[in-house]
Amino acid sequence: MQLIDNASKVANGSDSTWIGAFTPGRLAVLIALLLFALYPGVISGTHTFFYQDYGLFTYPVARYTKDSFWRGELPLWNPLNNCGVPFLAQWNTSVCYPLSLVYVLLPLPWGLSVFGLGHLVFAGVGMYLLAERWTQNRLAASIAGLAFGLNGLMLNCLLWTSNLAALSWQPWVILAVEQAWQRGGARRIALAALAGAMQMLSGAPEIIVFTWLILTVLWTRELLRHRVPVWPGLQRFAAVGILVAGLAAAQLLPFLDLLAHSERDASYGEADAWPMPPWGWANLIVPQFHASQSLCDTYHLAGQYWTKSYYVGVGVLVLGLVACWRVRQWRVRCLAGMALVGLVLALGHSGFLYTWLKQLVPALGFARYPIKFIALPLFAIPLLTACGLHALQNLPTGKSRQDVHFLIGASVLFLLVTAGILFFAHRFPVPEERWPVTCRDGVMRILFLAGLVGCLVGFLSSCRVRTRALLGATIVLLVGLDLITAGQRLHPTVDKRAFGPLELNMSYRPRLGESRALVSQQANAFLNRLGMTNPVAFCVTMRGALAQNNNLLENIPKVDGFCSLRLRQVSELMPALKDASLVRSPLADFLGVACVTAPDNVFAWQTRSGFLPLITAGQQPMFSTDQECLQAVTADDFKPREVVCMPAPAREFVRAAAVSNATIISPQWSASRVQFGVKTTAPAMVVIAQSFYHNWSASVDGQPARLWRGNYAYQALEVPAGRHEVTLVYRDRAFYLGSAFSALSLSICILLLLRRCPRGEGV
C-alpha cells in the first residue's frame, strides 16, 4: 500500500479545491437533510412528537408558557399542578431562555419541533467550529459535528427543551470562553459571557456543571503550561464567569430559593436511579443490545428510562481510539480521561467511582440519575475523532503504513467485539429483547464500520484531488447515515391533530379556584406501563387521563403533577392520598378533589361529593408541631370544616376562634393572584387550599396581613370581624432582584461589545 503525506497540504490550505467544500454551512444543511429523512412529517408540520416526557411534561409546559405570555402574564407560578407550585423557578421550564420565543411565537406543536430540531443543527455547527479550531481540519470537524449533533443522546433529548438546549450550547460556550481567556478583548469576553448565559438559562444544571468543569480543566492546564499569562488569564476567566452569573441571575436566584424549600437534599432518594447497566458500554457499539421494544415501535434500554440511546457511531469510536494511540497532546489525553471517567461514573454505584465521588462531594445527592455522566464522553469522543482523523492525514512518511495498519486492526477489533455482543445477545437475552432486531442493528453497525474504514483507507492512499473529495464526502455521509439509522426508532410521531381539542370523560370539569382532579395511584401505575400500537389512541388516552402534566392542556387544576422540584411539605402529604381512602378522604375533601380516576376504568372519571371549596373560613385553630400537624391532617378523623392545624409559633399572634357563620364572598383566581371577600361576626381564620410558599403575601382591605402555613402545607390567615376584602399576591422577590442583576450585566456586555479595542489589546 502506497500512502502519501497529503494532510500537510490540507492543513496549509494548498488543497483548498476540495477541503473548502467542508464548511459549517454545508454541514448545517446536511444535518437538516438527515433530520428531514428521520422526521419528514414533524418538519413539514403534519406530525409531532408525543412519546414519554415530550407529551407528559415538555409539550404541556411549553403550552402553559406560551398561553401565559399571550395572556400578558409572566409564568412565575403554576396554580394547576400540585395545588400550586413555582413555575419559572423550576429552571427546566426554560421560561428565561431567550430561544424559547421560538415556540412562544410560532404555532404549537410545530414551533416546539422547530425549537428542538433546530438545536440539533446548532449543536453540530458548534462542535464543527470547536473541532476546526483545535485541529485546523475541516473534514475532521465535519465528522465531529455530525457525531455530536446526531448522537443517540442528542436525539433522545428532543424529549426535553432544557437538556437539549444545554447540550447544544456546550461547544459554543467552550469555544467562546477559551478564546476569551487566550486572546482577551472586551468583545470576546462579552460574547463568551453571552454564550455562557444562554446555556445557563436553558435549565439543565448537570450539563452546565460539566461544561464549566471542562473549561476549568482546560484553563488550568494552559496556565500550568504557561500558554496563558497567569494574572490576565485569571482576570479574563473570572470576568466571564461573573458576567454569566449576572446575566442568568433572573433564573438562578429563584431556582436556588426554590431548591432550599424543596424536598431535595444531599440524601435525595431518587438521585441514584437509572444508572447505566453493567453491560451499558456495549450500547456504544450496538445501540439496541439488551433493549426491549414497545408497542409504539420504539426501543428502551433495560433498566434505563432517562435515555434510550447514547450511540455516537462505531466508526467514530475507532477514530477516537486512533487519537488516543497516535496523538501525544495533552488535550487529547484530557479528552480521553474525560470520556473514561464519564463512562465509569455513568455506571453509578456499580462503577465504584460514583460512590467515592458522592462521599467526597455530598452535593451530588441533589442531582438525579448517574447516567447523565454519559454527556462527558459524548462531548469528548467527537473531538477525539477529529484529532484522530487529523493525525491520520498528517502521517509522517515513515509511519504511514504503521498507522493505517493500526486503523485496520482497531476496526477488526471492533468488528469482533460487535460479533461478540451479538453472540451474547443471542445466548443470554434479557426479558422482552428481540434477537432479530438486535441482530439487524448489529449487522448494520458492522456494514457502516466496514464501509467507513474502507473509504478512510482509500482517502489516505489517494493522490487525486477529486477522489479525495469524493471519499471525504462519502465518509461524512456514512457517519451521518450510521447515526440516523441507529436513531430512527427513538421517537414515534403522531398526527398533530392528536393535540387538538379533546372531550374528556368527565361529568364534572374542575376549574381553577373551584375544585381539582386527582389521578389515582392505581391509574398512575397503569399509565406508566401503558402501550398502544395506535399513536393517536395512545396520545388521546394519556391526555384524557390527565397523565402527569396533561392537565395544563385542558386548563384543569390537579392535586398532583410532574415537576423537578416539589415543595417539601406538599410532597410529604401526597402519600396520604391512597386509592382506598379517596372516596372518604378528609384530606382530599380539604384539597377540593371533585374528580378522581374511576376504580374500574383508568380512562374515566368518578365525581366525588363532599369536597370543600378551596377557600373556607371559621375553623378553630389548633397549634402543634410540624410532625403533629402532619399526623393530624393525614388522619381519617381529620375535620377540615371545623379545625385548621397551625404551627406552634402562631399561637401568640392568632386570636381567632371557631366562627360558625363566617362566609367567603366572590372568590376570583388567577395564576398569581387570589381575591375574595370575607364576612364574619368575630375574628376568624381563613384557610386557602393552595400550597404555602414564602413568595405569597396577603393583605386585608389593602393592609398587609400575616400569611401562615395552615394544615401543614397550605395557606391560612386571620381576619377581623366584619366585611373585608382579602388579596393574595405572588411576588417572586428573587426573580425581581435577579432581573436587576441581569439587566445590569447585559448593559455591561453591550458596552463591552461596543467598545473599540486596539488590535491585540486584552482585558
Side-chain angles (χ1 to χ4, degrees):
M1 184 185 301
Q2 184 178 1
L3 301 173
I4 66 172
D5 185 10
N6 290 310
S8 58
K9 296 182 190 177
V10 175
N12 296 328
S14 61
D15 207 359
S16 59
T17 54
W18 71 273
I19 197 66
F22 296 95
T23 64
R26 287 190 172 94
L27 176 66
V29 172
L30 176 59
I31 294 176
L33 290 174
L34 292 171
L35 289 173
F36 184 79
L38 266 181
Y39 307 116
V42 173
I43 293 177
S44 62
T46 61
H47 287 68
T48 182
F49 303 115
F50 70 96
Y51 193 54
Q52 288 186 308
D53 282 6
Y54 189 93
L56 298 175
F57 175 79
T58 299
Y59 181 77
V61 163
R63 177 75 171 273
Y64 183 78
T65 303
K66 180 185 178 78
D67 291 346
S68 297
F69 277 115
W70 282 100
R71 288 195 305 264
E73 300 175 353
L74 191 62
L76 298 173
W77 180 263
N78 172 14
L80 300 176
N81 285 116
N82 303 95
C83 299
V85 65
F87 186 79
L88 177 147
Q90 295 287 335
W91 201 356
N92 65 350
T93 52
S94 303
V95 175
C96 294
Y97 180 54
L99 293 183
S100 295
L101 286 173
V102 171
Y103 56 79
V104 169
L105 298 177
L106 295 179
L108 290 174
W110 183 68
L112 190 58
S113 301
V114 170
F115 173 95
L117 297 173
H119 273 81
L120 294 178
V121 178
F122 184 71
V125 173
M127 179 56 76
Y128 172 98
L129 295 175
L130 180 60
E132 199 272 337
R133 174 175 170 80
W134 283 10
T135 64
Q136 302 299 308
N137 188 317
R138 289 187 172 187
L139 175 60
S142 297
I143 295 175
L146 279 173
F148 185 71
L150 295 178
N151 68 63
L153 180 63
M154 292 294 293
L155 290 173
N156 183 80
C157 283
L158 287 169
L159 292 173
W160 308 292
T161 56
S162 56
N163 288 309
L164 180 60
L167 287 167
S168 300
W169 276 100
Q170 193 172 32
W172 292 91
V173 174
I174 291 175
L175 177 64
V177 176
E178 187 180 51
Q179 288 183 328
W181 81 52
Q182 286 179 346
R183 304 176 63 184
R187 293 183 180 180
R188 292 189 187 91
I189 289 176
L191 290 173
L194 290 171
M198 290 293 284
Q199 188 196 40
M200 191 72 70
L201 292 170
S202 64
E206 296 89 351
I207 308 302
I208 295 167
V209 170
F210 294 160
T211 303
W212 287 91
L213 284 176
I214 294 169
L215 282 168
T216 301
V217 170
L218 295 175
W219 174 73
T220 303
R221 179 64 179 177
E222 293 206 357
L223 282 182
L224 294 176
R225 293 177 65 88
H226 305 292
R227 295 187 177 184
V228 176
V230 177
W231 182 240
L234 179 61
Q235 283 182 305
R236 295 164 187 169
F237 196 27
V240 172
I242 292 171
L243 283 174
V244 168
L247 287 165
Q251 177 66 78
L252 292 177
L253 294 185
F255 168 76
L256 294 174
D257 188 23
L258 174 58
L259 183 63
H261 294 85
S262 74
E263 84 282 21
R264 293 206 193 187
D265 55 25
S267 59
Y268 184 51
E270 296 182 25
D272 300 333
W274 299 330
M276 179 189 289
W279 61 81
W281 289 16
N283 294 115
L284 290 166
I285 301 174
V286 182
Q288 294 186 31
F289 172 67
H290 276 3
S292 59
Q293 187 175 3
S294 74
L295 292 176
C296 291
D297 197 31
T298 65
Y299 65 87
H300 298 263
L301 302 180
Q304 178 56 240
Y305 181 86
W306 188 74
T307 182
K308 296 192 286 294
S309 176
Y310 35 84
Y311 182 70
V312 73
V314 65
V316 170
L317 291 176
V318 169
L319 286 172
L321 185 61
V322 169
C324 295
W325 179 79
R326 177 68 181 82
V327 183
R328 298 294 185 264
Q329 296 177 357
W330 71 267
R331 188 174 279 162
V332 170
R333 293 171 182 169
C334 177
L335 291 171
M338 182 192 312
L340 180 60
V341 169
L343 287 170
V344 174
L345 287 172
L347 294 170
H349 292 293
S350 298
F352 304 107
L353 182 58
Y354 178 77
T355 305
W356 173 82
L357 188 60
K358 281 197 70 173
Q359 295 173 349
L360 183 65
V361 186
L364 278 177
F366 285 91
R368 289 193 292 185
Y369 317 142
I371 186 61
K372 291 185 178 181
F373 283 104
I374 198 67
L376 287 172
L378 293 188
F379 172 80
I381 290 172
L383 290 169
L384 286 172
T385 298
C387 294
L389 179 57
H390 180 65
L392 288 173
Q393 288 183 257
N394 281 278
L395 294 173
T397 305
K399 290 190 176 182
S400 56
R401 187 183 301 273
Q402 178 183 355
D403 284 10
V404 171
H405 285 171
F406 179 82
L407 171 65
I408 296 173
S411 304
V412 171
L413 174 63
F414 270 85
L415 291 174
L416 293 175
V417 170
T418 304
I421 292 172
L422 293 180
F423 173 79
F424 195 87
H426 180 65
R427 292 294 303 273
F428 307 101
V430 297
E432 301 182 6
E433 181 180 8
R434 298 187 180 183
W435 160 245
V437 175
T438 306
C439 180
R440 183 170 59 249
D441 182 51
V443 170
M444 290 186 67
R445 301 316 124 213
I446 290 174
L447 294 176
F448 276 114
L449 176 58
L452 181 64
V453 173
C455 288
L456 272 171
V457 173
F459 171 81
L460 294 171
S461 62
S462 175
C463 302
R464 301 181 60 183
V465 172
R466 288 188 178 180
T467 303
R468 289 172 63 81
L470 179 60
L471 289 173
T474 304
I475 292 169
V476 172
L477 185 60
L478 283 173
V479 171
L481 291 175
D482 182 20
L483 291 168
I484 66 167
T485 54
Q488 63 185 355
R489 293 176 58 239
L490 287 180
H491 299 296
T493 62
V494 68
D495 191 301
K496 69 175 184 179
R497 289 175 294 181
F499 282 111
L502 180 68
E503 184 176 348
L504 298 176
N505 188 13
M506 282 182 167
S507 58
Y508 173 82
R509 187 185 180 100
R511 292 179 175 81
L512 179 62
E514 295 180 3
S515 58
R516 297 189 177 100
L518 174 62
V519 181
S520 68
Q521 297 288 340
Q522 176 189 6
N524 269 324
F526 179 83
L527 292 170
N528 288 336
R529 302 189 305 269
L530 179 66
M532 294 182 177
T533 56
N534 187 326
V536 174
F538 180 87
C539 187
V540 171
T541 297
M542 299 299 280
R543 287 185 59 193
L546 301 184
Q548 300 295 353
N549 288 359
N550 272 281
N551 62 303
L552 296 178
L553 304 180
E554 314 302 329
N555 201 36
I556 292 178
K558 279 204 320 175
V559 172
D560 56 337
F562 172 71
C563 57
S564 294
L565 296 178
R566 297 173 294 180
L567 296 174
R568 184 181 301 113
Q569 286 80 8
V570 174
S571 65
E572 291 173 355
L573 282 174
M574 288 306 297
L577 296 170
K578 300 295 184 181
D579 290 347
S581 60
L582 282 179
V583 176
R584 294 179 299 276
S585 168
L587 180 58
D589 291 341
F590 167 68
L591 297 178
V593 176
C595 296
V596 67
T597 311
D600 56 346
N601 184 355
V602 298
F603 308 126
W605 293 90
Q606 173 181 292
T607 303
R608 295 181 71 254
S609 60
F611 64 90
L612 296 178
L614 298 189
I615 307 175
T616 53
Q619 292 94 333
Q620 173 69 43
M622 297 180 59
F623 305 98
S624 58
T625 64
D626 283 350
Q627 186 60 35
E628 293 170 342
C629 184
L630 177 61
Q631 293 176 354
V633 170
T634 56
D636 292 337
D637 59 353
F638 175 52
K639 298 179 180 180
R641 295 174 179 82
E642 301 175 11
V643 299
V644 53
C645 292
M646 302 288 292
R651 186 189 303 271
E652 58 180 293
F653 298 97
V654 173
R655 298 291 178 264
V659 180
S660 60
N661 57 355
T663 56
I664 303 297
I665 304 169
S666 303
Q668 298 178 4
W669 289 69
S670 65
S672 57
R673 191 179 185 90
V674 181
Q675 291 180 285
F676 56 91
V678 181
K679 185 176 181 181
T680 176
T681 56
M685 295 300 303
V686 174
V687 184
I688 304 99
Q690 177 172 246
S691 302
F692 180 90
Y693 192 52
H694 65 93
N695 283 329
W696 280 96
S697 60
S699 63
V700 177
D701 298 330
Q703 299 300 314
R706 180 75 176 267
L707 191 64
W708 296 96
R709 190 185 303 275
N711 287 340
Y712 189 68
Y714 305 97
Q715 299 172 352
L717 74 156
E718 183 181 22
V719 296
R723 173 69 164 80
H724 304 281
E725 293 295 324
V726 178
T727 302
L728 276 65
V729 179
Y730 185 83
R731 295 188 181 91
D732 195 331
R733 301 168 185 83
F735 169 74
Y736 295 121
L737 177 62
S739 297
F741 284 122
S742 296
L744 176 61
S745 301
L746 181 60
S747 301
I748 294 173
C749 286
I750 292 173
L751 291 176
L752 292 176
L753 290 172
L754 296 176
R755 177 183 174 186
R756 294 185 177 181
C757 296
R759 186 178 298 273
E761 179 182 333
V763 171

